[in-house]
Amino acid sequence: MSEENGYTFENEQYRKTYWHTVSHILAQAMKRLHPEVKLAIGPAIETGFYYDFDTPVPFTPDDLGELEAEMRKICKEKLKLERFELPRAEALKLMEEKEEPYKVELIRDLPEDAVISFYRQGDFTDLCAGPHLDSTGRVKGNAIKLTSATGAYWRGDSNRKMLQRIYGIAFPKKDELDEYLERQAEALKRDHNKLGRELEYFTTVDVIGQGLPIILPKGARVIQTLQRWVEDVERERGYLLTKTPYMAKRELYKISGHWDHYLDGMFVLGEPQDETKECFALRPMTCPFQYQVFLNRARSYRDLPMRLGETSTLFRNEDSGEMHGLIRVRQFTISEGHLILRPEQLEEEFKGCLDLAKYCLDTVGLLDKCSFRFSQWDPANPNNKYEGTPEQWELAQNTMAKILDDLDVAYEVGIDEAAFYGPKLDIQYKNVFGKEDTLVTIQIDMLLARQFGMEYVDADGQKKTPYIIHRTSLGCYERTLAYLLEEYAGALPTWMAPEQVRIMTVTDRADDYAYELKNTLFAQGFRVEVDDRNEKIGKKIREAQLEKVPYMLVVGDRDVEAGTVSVRHRAEGDLGAMSKEDFTALLRKVVDGKARQ
């Protein structure tokens, strides 16, 4: 492959082939400098590449610098990459002779009819399916950067050995690498995992556990503000509020199918295989609980659509290697909802769910950076992941495809990304480092209502089974908070900011006036604090700026006499003196209008 033959870095396949080749160059450099290190795996990923190594000593920044230098030498050597295949016995013998136990394990786990291929570059050979560039000379050595070294369990299994993972990035040109590193430096400043802790939005505690963050008062206030707003918006759109238990007996999850398809992701209280004793599980989702609202009494077509909404706290046993700040956690809260409806109502209600999600994401300022994925089943999935027949899945996916096309939704298709009971539209968002996660999801379900015996009497007097839409409107509040901190670099819009106004006194003679003003603003629903410390006003302003407080009111003797405030905005600077009434009107307009400032 070469750019001269039409391949450029804009081409995803070429880009990943390039990065995969660089991962082999890293492995070769490692074996040259540290022959005792054992090789694990080294794939290209969405944001570059990594290679896992078995070494008893953690890598240091100096080690990464030495490896980069050796990688540049390998690039200059212009070593040809040659692919060859071996029968299983010979492949095992080769890796055993090279004393590479992880490669031996990978070969043993391959299917009997698998093609076992290797790539050779100079004196280095690695087990690999490819593809690769044809020469190490294709890689620009001065545009390679090893970015970090972390721990990683072999095959992502916390019961296996901890390896050392080296991440890296590479580009065809040095200036492209420089631009990337500048962007990464900016991303690091915005990283919610760093910024959220510095601004005291959340923290984590070892004795509580990974993926179980403590939401501090600032973060809690933001989440509460978002929750109340979403609940009000949903109420205006015809949703009925529910409140359901955090746990249930295994029998509920057996009816829904979660016990068979999701047990590994659940926190179980009791022995799951002992049918002689009660066994409970914390809920990983709310759908089987909310169905009981529909089942509470007989229903007719006049009751539909029934739109049920809940601010739901959920529990999922995520792998420890997947944990990341507030983006992926084990306990979280979402704006969950389920719509129970007649089949002919499906398109209109799906449209309403999408409109609601887009409205919420647009209001908080995240919609412009979202993308859409039509997540479908994989009929060849070997893990029996899905419920239902191929005919049922074809009907559900064809129906959803028609709805998305009618709504003119531009989407990518994600095979094997569906829920076990139906296809879904996932609204995707990338964090500042380019890692993509699902923010909001809307799912079509033609299966679970039948499993729960949900029926309604139609206009013709016949009993029929409803369809269900599973949806979120703003998604996971913890994840949303993380993205908001990154999007606004900690300076959240005034309407959702935990502290909207800070009143700062110049002298203690203004204290009473400051607290009277605070009480007036507080009574109108604004979040206000007073800084009456015996400090210079410049220091108070700097600290308020660092804490990203939207509005700062400086009050001194003249303000007390005139009934005014000197207004500063964190981004716009000095706005001058205003009457208390004028400032209150300004603040009301900004907050009620949910302005992005």
Side-chain angles (χ1 to χ4, degrees):
M1 271 187 181
S2 70
E3 294 190 24
E4 291 85 348
N5 292 330
Y7 293 98
T8 72
F9 228 54
E10 299 303 315
N11 181 307
E12 181 181 4
Q13 183 58 52
Y14 177 76
R15 187 168 66 247
K16 289 192 172 182
T17 299
Y18 192 99
W19 285 339
H20 194 182
T21 303
V22 183
S23 78
H24 276 226
I25 294 173
L26 167 59
Q28 183 176 17
M30 178 66 72
K31 295 298 284 188
R32 284 185 178 183
L33 297 174
H34 305 282
E36 73 284 358
V37 168
K38 306 303 179 188
L39 305 178
I41 58 173
I45 56 176
E46 190 175 347
T47 55
F49 63 90
Y50 71 78
Y51 211 109
D52 288 346
F53 303 99
D54 184 357
T55 175
V57 181
F59 297 117
T60 67
D62 287 342
D63 292 325
L64 299 188
E66 292 176 359
L67 285 166
E68 283 179 12
E70 191 64 34
M71 293 171 73
R72 287 193 286 272
K73 291 180 184 178
I74 294 170
C75 293
K76 290 180 180 179
E77 291 170 15
K78 299 182 179 180
L79 302 174
K80 184 178 180 181
L81 277 88
E82 301 173 294
R83 184 181 187 276
F84 64 94
E85 299 174 6
L86 290 177
R88 180 180 296 270
E90 293 182 31
L92 287 169
K93 181 181 178 183
L94 175 63
M95 290 295 100
E96 286 168 350
E97 288 175 350
K98 290 182 173 292
E99 298 181 350
E100 296 291 356
Y102 298 97
K103 304 296 183 181
V104 170
E105 180 179 328
L106 290 171
I107 294 171
R108 293 189 189 281
D109 288 347
L110 290 172
E112 286 297 325
D113 59 349
V115 174
I116 304 175
S117 61
F118 297 82
Y119 278 82
R120 180 190 298 118
Q121 55 195 60
D123 59 357
F124 175 75
T125 300
D126 201 355
L127 172 72
C128 187
H132 285 284
L133 304 180
D134 57 2
S135 167
T136 62
R138 297 282 185 190
V139 176
K140 305 302 181 185
N142 66 348
I144 296 173
K145 181 66 178 178
L146 300 181
T147 54
S148 66
T150 64
Y153 291 111
W154 170 231
R155 291 187 149 180
D157 185 346
S158 60
N159 296 314
R160 304 295 296 273
K161 188 166 185 178
M162 175 70 79
L163 307 177
Q164 294 291 308
R165 174 173 295 177
I166 295 180
Y167 285 96
I169 190 70
F171 291 91
K173 298 178 182 178
K174 177 66 163 58
D175 59 353
E176 292 175 341
L177 173 64
D178 293 339
E179 290 173 7
Y180 169 83
L181 294 177
E182 287 179 10
R183 291 196 303 271
Q184 289 301 100
E186 177 61 25
L188 188 60
K189 294 177 185 177
R190 291 174 173 262
D191 180 11
H192 87 277
N193 218 356
K194 175 177 179 291
L195 199 56
R197 295 172 194 273
E198 291 175 351
L199 294 175
E200 297 187 350
Y201 278 83
F202 76 98
T203 188
T204 50
V205 182
D206 288 344
V207 294
I208 290 178
Q210 198 172 14
L212 298 169
I214 301 294
I215 307 299
L216 298 173
K218 285 184 180 180
R221 185 64 69 194
V222 175
I223 289 176
Q224 180 191 57
T225 300
L226 294 173
Q227 287 177 357
R228 288 176 172 176
W229 166 64
V230 169
E231 287 180 357
D232 287 345
V233 169
E234 289 181 343
R235 177 176 54 79
E236 292 167 0
R237 297 190 180 215
Y239 281 80
L240 304 173
L241 185 66
T242 68
K243 187 173 178 60
T244 57
Y246 284 3
M247 68 178 74
K249 297 194 294 186
R250 72 180 141 216
E251 285 71 22
L252 181 73
Y253 302 116
K254 283 189 174 183
I255 297 171
S256 67
H258 292 103
W259 200 255
D260 293 330
H261 295 278
Y262 206 79
L263 183 60
D264 289 344
M266 296 166 68
F267 289 102
V268 178
L269 310 176
E271 176 49 57
Q273 308 307 325
D274 187 351
E275 298 287 344
T276 66
K277 297 179 181 178
E278 272 195 332
C279 180
F280 290 78
L282 298 176
R283 63 182 185 186
M285 62 286 295
T286 310
C287 43
F289 297 83
Q290 284 197 324
Y291 298 163
Q292 309 310 310
V293 176
F294 177 91
L295 291 165
N296 186 53
R297 61 175 173 83
R299 302 291 178 181
S300 84
Y301 70 97
R302 295 185 179 89
D303 295 315
L304 306 181
M306 178 182 285
R307 306 182 188 101
L308 304 175
E310 182 166 338
T311 301
S312 304
T313 298
L314 305 179
F315 307 85
R316 296 185 184 176
N317 191 11
E318 300 278 7
D319 184 84
S320 60
E322 295 293 321
M323 301 297 106
H324 177 61
L326 298 178
I327 290 178
R328 192 168 289 274
V329 292
R330 287 173 167 151
Q331 175 184 313
F332 55 93
T333 303
I334 68 172
S335 53
E336 193 167 13
H338 297 89
L339 291 81
I340 303 165
L341 43 96
R342 307 195 305 273
E344 61 268 23
Q345 296 171 326
L346 181 60
E347 181 162 357
E348 186 65 24
E349 291 302 312
F350 191 98
K351 178 181 179 181
C353 292
L354 180 56
D355 182 72
L356 172 60
K358 291 172 73 173
Y359 168 75
C360 290
L361 291 171
D362 185 49
T363 302
V364 300
L366 298 180
L367 182 62
D368 290 346
K369 294 185 179 179
C370 287
S371 61
F372 297 86
R373 183 181 70 194
F374 181 7
S375 295
Q376 304 179 3
W377 83 317
D378 180 4
N381 187 293
N383 299 319
N384 192 27
K385 176 181 175 182
Y386 301 103
E387 293 277 352
T389 65
E391 292 76 18
Q392 289 171 318
W393 274 93
E394 184 175 353
L395 173 61
Q397 292 190 169
N398 288 344
T399 301
M400 189 165 183
K402 179 181 182 302
I403 291 172
L404 294 177
D405 290 342
D406 288 347
L407 297 178
D408 198 27
V409 177
Y411 59 82
E412 295 182 351
V413 172
I415 300 298
D416 202 25
E417 296 289 343
F420 69 83
Y421 48 76
K424 53 182 179 166
L425 177 68
D426 290 324
I427 303 180
Q428 304 291 103
Y429 191 90
K430 291 182 180 180
N431 71 3
V432 288
F433 296 108
K435 174 69 170 61
E436 184 175 273
D437 280 296
T438 300
L439 193 51
V440 168
T441 184
I442 307 171
Q443 307 169 5
I444 291 178
D445 175 6
M446 300 180 178
L447 299 175
L448 292 188
R450 190 175 302 279
Q451 292 178 204
F452 277 89
M454 299 166 68
E455 294 180 330
Y456 65 95
V457 178
D458 208 351
D460 59 6
Q462 299 297 310
K463 287 187 176 180
K464 296 183 180 177
T465 302
Y467 285 173
I468 298 171
I469 295 176
H470 307 238
R471 48 100 278 181
T472 51
S473 48
L474 192 59
C476 168
Y477 286 103
E478 291 83 356
R479 183 174 291 178
T480 299
L481 176 58
Y483 288 147
L484 289 171
L485 288 170
E486 294 185 350
E487 172 66 21
Y488 295 104
L492 299 183
T494 303
W495 73 272
M496 69 174 78
E499 181 182 352
Q500 296 168 320
V501 181
R502 184 173 298 180
I503 305 170
M504 296 171 282
T505 57
V506 178
T507 69
D508 57 7
R509 293 185 297 276
D511 288 356
D512 289 344
Y513 178 75
Y515 280 100
E516 288 174 7
L517 179 56
K518 174 188 175 181
N519 292 337
T520 299
L521 292 171
F522 184 82
Q524 297 184 51
F526 298 118
R527 297 183 285 278
V528 190
E529 299 295 338
V530 173
D531 184 352
D532 60 356
R533 295 174 300 158
N534 186 22
E535 296 283 358
K536 291 182 179 180
I537 195 64
K539 180 177 181 180
K540 293 181 180 182
I541 292 172
R542 284 194 300 274
E543 290 181 357
Q545 285 280 165
L546 290 173
E547 294 178 40
K548 316 291 185 179
V549 178
Y551 287 94
M552 292 153 271
L553 305 185
V554 178
V555 294
D557 293 340
R558 282 184 296 181
D559 296 294
V560 173
E561 293 172 6
T564 59
V565 290
S566 297
V567 184
R568 293 186 61 87
H569 185 267
R570 64 188 171 197
E572 299 173 18
D574 187 0
L575 301 182
M578 296 185 191
S579 68
K580 292 182 292 184
E581 293 75 18
D582 285 348
F583 173 72
T584 302
L586 169 65
L587 187 60
R588 175 60 63 199
K589 181 179 179 181
V590 170
V591 171
D592 289 355
K594 293 186 171 49
R596 297 180 190 177
Q597 63 179 54

